[in-house]
Amino acid sequence: MKKTGFARHLSGLLALLASLVMVASAGACGGPALGSGQQSPSAPQSQGATAAAEVPGRVAIFTPSDGITLSQHTPINKWAALVPELKAALAKEHLPNKHIDAYTSGNLEDQSKELQDYLVNRLSERKAGKTSEPTTLVVAPMTSPDSITRQYGDYISQSLDADAKDKARARLVSSLRLAAGAGMHVVLLANQVPGIQPDLFVQLSDARAIGQMQADKLTSKLELDKASKDNPCRIEILLPNRTADASSDASPADKGVETVQAEQNSFPAQAFAGIWQVLGPYFKDGRAISPSGLLKADSTEKDWQAIAFDPGKDASAAGKELATRLATNDDAKTHTEVDGILAMNDFIVSGVVSELGDLGYRGSSADVNPEISISGIVGSMVGHQDLHRQRVPKPAQSPAARNPTASQADPSQTTGRTQDSTPSDDHAAWPVISGYGAYVDNIPQIVDGRQWMTGLEDRLGLAADMAKACVGLNSQGKVPAMDTIHTVNQDGKQLRRLSRPLVAVSASNLKAALIDTGYIKPADAGL
């Protein structure tokens, strides 16, 4: 049977591997050991003490490209930001900059070719005796996120297309196997590759963690543990979802097992699972209710489609969805009370904030956190003072107001807002709003209290951990022990996994989390 061009090329690569593995192995066994005092053949003799301080090996980084964007209305978690931070962290670990290579690709086809070409060149250099350096590959496999997933940033974990006929995927898999067979180390970022067992997997943002973080923060800020069935918190959850994934009238049996499983594994479904893990018990016992009535006491994590909506191409769709749920229009005399809005990401938050203002809701999170103000943040930045938060008061009305028979209740149990910090129409009080992505143009809304909090990856922490792992793999052949790295069982195999908690940002820690780290400038926050 006549071989295709790709098949011939793959056969050639395998042949090259067969001829080079022994060379690579010999180089690994016969090369100078770390700390032996011997220099690499390629190191100039004149470097002296400087060369002794440098760690051995090379690191090659392969990530997707961000694409061109002229808008600040995008998440702060971008590959273009993580790569230079990783390179800087490697430099701090004494890996020379000339031993760090970085490649970006716009699609899996280009990424797999760049990885393949890199390996062919490196192995050819080894065969020619030009180098015997240990090498670690850091690869973020290219996926095809939809418009909804992009709202959360570049680092969302997704499944790589498992179609065996996909040449780009097959090339990626064969290249990674070639690298491992030649003694190179593999670190995978965000997305795993079927059939590949990396030396280290770096877990980045996933839907469940993003949903759970926001639910945790709302639970704490609204003090749900102190709420009661007579005085519940009113929480609305806005879950963006593509129209193609929206609920249909078909029953699970009619949809088929594979379709149902795909829906339950989708980003919105997993995000709601994280949310409901935290908020579910409060809805079940009545301490939390949904103003729209879409979520009830008997709702489960499988009911995520009840609150899913198509956010469209601009933030106005989220505003219209919120207005519908609050049953409010421009002619309304009263407002529907809402204490918290879990908006999932900052794209949705933008529409929510705009709509709440148009609907006549008043105040900000500063009303429930009086110590946080623009002047306070500015004072903190110039070293005058630190910011401190008070507990968020409970819902706008006391139990007595909602239940006249409770007027003789113990006053100490009242958890309403004070008259000093709440508009005269309690139902029009501004709710606590959560998002994710740390959109630059949303930061001023956090400063002035219109948005309560956002979230992002701990990029600098992850970069530092990855740098240590890469250096450890090159110098010792294994991942060094770190608090952020754990061994987990996956498909019957032991996998080393690196992860860090997501960073929650509100006005009180905005300076430390975003400005001091260099993620944004003070001007980005409107300061």
Side-chain angles (χ1 to χ4, degrees), residues 23 119 244 321 347:
V23 175
L119 291 173
E321 176 71 15
F347 179 85

Side-chain angles (χ1 to χ4, degrees), residues 14 71 173 176 208 229 235 359 377 388 417 453 521:
L14 295 176
S71 172
V173 172
L176 292 174
R208 183 180 287 266
K229 189 174 183 179
I235 299 175
L359 293 174
I377 293 175
H388 301 284
R417 301 175 190 244
M453 58 80 63
K521 299 176 181 178

Side-chain angles (χ1 to χ4, degrees), residues 57 83 130 210 220 228 245 269 274 280-282 324 329 379 393 400 414 458 520:
V83 171
K130 295 180 179 179
I210 292 173
S220 175
S228 67
D245 296 333
Y282 296 100
T324 299
N329 56 53
T414 300
D458 182 2
I520 67 170

